[in-house]
Amino acid sequence: MSDHVLVINAGSSSLKYSLIDAASGEAAASGVVERIGEPEGHHVHHGTDGESNTSLKIASHEDALRAALKAFETHGPSLDDIEIAAVGHRVVHGGSQFADPALIDDDLVAAVNDLVPLAPLHNPANLEGIQVARRLFPDLQQVAVFDTAFHQTLAPHAYTYAVPLDWRDDHGIRRYGFHGTSHAFVAAEAARLLGQEPADLNLIVLHLGNGCSAAAVRGGQSVDTSMGMTPLEGLVMGTRSGDLDPAIHAHLVRELGWTVEEIDHALNYESGLKALAGGNDFRELSISREAGDARAQLAFEIYCYRIKKYVGAYYAVLGNVDAIVFTAGVGQHSADVRAASLAGLERLGIQLDAERNNTSSGEARTVSADDSAVAVLVVPTNEEWQIAREALSLVRLAEA
Ligand code: ADP
């Protein structure tokens, strides 16, 4: 019986896919179709032949998935040889309904559609990916894996905003948290690296990619996280502001006559590192900083200062911390971010080892000193593998 899951992550103008062996995590193939709907789209497929690149107009998500299937035929691996056991879809917002992955049927589609008002920038594209895959793979079981699900264990005092009752009761306004698939994967890997059971550990997980979020994880369960009702809250990100005074919104409307759409766009796509340093790519920011660019330096300091504040907050929330875990592009690769974010926290038992921290590696590893009371770990995330595992286990359960 095949353990291969086709994992689909549909964005508004892109479709990423990977064919993952859920048992080993090995990707038999992966690819991304970008600039869907634009005059010229781009498709990269990593298959049996290595990397293949194609530029062509791709009108819709359906065309994107068809292009992916064609690439499997042309560049391998053949889907006749590697049977797909299930399709796993990343869905950003599962609201309060979904604490676990769910089999996709018409009711699930309707439920995800009902959540669009909470995630207008994400859920419509995720739904499009689901609809297309259901059309092209009518005989396969499909599973939705929600970014919010892992954080459904937050207690009411952690997820409730201090706002009027009807906002909360009638409009779903509360914190949900995101990046849950990554936080779950990384927390489990950290426990493995430490040789302990997840149930016995208190962790602060820092997912620092284009989007950034922190999570406080007690005994394998999320007890707090920095993203809120939407992925905008919390840490400074590539293009998102993270925390800010909500009155700024009213100020922009009142004083500058901005529309809601303009403000939403600016805070989600024109803020964060992009606004502070002129670009959202952390590698470029690091190069500018090393060249003495003052804007890049300030952006770096703001970014790390915000991380430090969340580390302090979640230390207090957890009371006792066994490990701080860095993951995603910046977390895995920037020794400077790890060092600056944790500098001065020695009294909290947090002590990096400079040499370990500065050594690059693609492996999960410890970067704290031997006598650090709190371990500091770098753990590569693998959201696709986590989605594949969760999707396959649900499908197997349903078949049993
Ligand atoms: P996504 O949220 O899109 O999955 P990633 O986890 O791939 O994001 O992280 C992307 C970020 O990681 C980018 O800002 C990128 O510049 C940064 N990054 C990747 N490699 C490095 C590196 N070697 N040093 C510093 N930053 C890096």
Side-chain angles (χ1 to χ4, degrees):
M1 198 190 287
S2 165
D3 282 339
H4 280 86
V5 175
L6 181 66
V7 175
I8 293 180
N9 182 356
S12 57
S13 64
S14 69
L15 186 137
K16 290 187 195 151
Y17 59 91
S18 17
L19 184 61
I20 308 259
D21 181 337
S24 69
E26 206 172 304
S30 64
V32 57
V33 182
E34 288 175 307
R35 299 200 286 276
I36 297 171
E38 291 183 30
E40 185 168 274
H42 189 66
H43 180 192
V44 188
H45 179 82
H46 297 267
T48 319
D49 289 358
E51 181 177 307
S52 58
N53 281 274
T54 323
S55 288
L56 73 168
K57 180 170 167 56
I58 295 167
S60 63
H61 285 75
E62 177 149 348
D63 284 0
L65 193 52
R66 285 191 193 283
L69 292 180
K70 191 152 171 262
F72 275 101
E73 246 175 70
T74 317
H75 301 291
S78 159
L79 294 178
D80 294 330
D81 297 342
I82 300 186
E83 192 194 333
I84 301 177
V87 182
H89 293 268
R90 176 184 183 221
V91 179
V92 168
H93 217 306
S96 305
Q97 276 134 289
F98 296 104
D100 295 296
L103 285 174
I104 294 175
D105 56 15
D106 291 345
D107 290 345
L108 184 286
V109 168
V112 173
N113 198 34
D114 287 346
L115 292 164
V116 165
L118 289 177
L121 304 178
H122 299 97
N123 273 30
N126 302 155
L127 263 180
E128 183 64 22
I130 289 174
Q131 305 279 37
V132 165
R134 288 182 89 197
R135 281 202 292 278
L136 297 194
F137 302 110
D139 300 328
L140 287 180
Q141 287 272 30
Q142 314 220 7
V143 177
V145 179
F146 299 94
D147 253 24
T148 46
F150 181 61
H151 302 299
Q152 278 296 301
T153 44
L154 262 64
H157 63 253
Y159 71 65
T160 306
Y161 289 120
V163 295
L165 184 64
D166 59 327
W167 295 22
R168 293 179 269 139
D169 279 0
D170 303 339
H171 303 289
I173 293 181
R174 50 159 283 185
R175 325 188 64 254
Y176 294 96
F178 298 86
H179 286 150
T181 307
S182 177
H183 287 296
F185 179 86
V186 168
E189 286 297 300
R192 200 201 315 265
L193 183 64
L194 294 168
Q196 286 182 264
E197 289 300 317
D200 298 332
L201 289 172
N202 284 352
L203 305 172
I204 297 173
V205 182
L206 298 162
H207 176 112
L208 310 175
N210 263 316
C212 301
S213 69
V217 181
R218 177 182 289 134
Q221 298 204 322
S222 178
V223 293
D224 206 349
T225 191
S226 57
M227 285 176 166
M229 185 183 92
T230 79
L232 185 57
E233 194 178 344
L235 301 176
V236 175
M237 315 187 202
T239 63
R240 297 189 199 122
S241 62
D243 294 335
L244 79 171
D245 183 341
I248 291 170
H249 192 119
H251 176 83
L252 290 169
V253 173
R254 204 182 301 119
E255 298 298 322
L256 304 178
W258 279 41
T259 65
V260 167
E261 285 70 28
E262 285 169 333
I263 296 170
D264 217 20
H265 183 83
L267 293 177
N268 279 289
Y269 300 111
E270 302 294 339
S271 297
L273 296 175
K274 187 175 178 188
L276 294 171
N280 63 315
D281 187 319
F282 209 90
R283 273 168 297 203
E284 284 172 20
L285 182 139
S286 304
I287 294 165
S288 305
R289 194 175 146 247
E290 274 157 30
D293 181 328
R295 256 188 351 157
Q297 178 60 27
L298 179 62
F300 175 86
E301 287 170 13
I302 295 167
Y303 183 89
C304 296
Y305 179 71
R306 186 81 55 88
I307 295 170
K308 184 179 287 187
K309 288 211 293 189
Y310 273 92
V311 168
Y314 290 169
Y315 205 116
V317 164
L318 293 168
N320 175 44
V321 178
D322 297 294
I324 296 170
V325 195
F326 285 87
T327 193
V330 179
Q332 284 162 221
H333 299 295
S334 176
D336 285 356
V337 165
R338 296 191 294 265
S341 306
L342 301 181
L345 302 185
E346 294 78 11
R347 288 287 294 273
L348 297 180
I350 302 167
Q351 180 84 53
L352 279 177
D353 178 283
E355 196 182 322
R356 287 176 187 163
N357 188 42
N358 288 322
T359 305
S360 303
S361 158
E363 300 294 311
R365 62 197 191 277
T366 301
V367 294
S368 46
D370 289 337
D371 57 356
S372 183
V374 177
V376 182
L377 312 177
V378 176
V379 174
T381 190
N382 193 335
E383 289 162 284
E384 288 80 13
W385 188 12
Q386 182 73 10
I387 290 173
R389 285 199 293 217
E390 293 190 13
L392 190 66
S393 64
L394 183 59
V395 165
R396 292 272 152 85
L397 203 68
E399 285 167 354

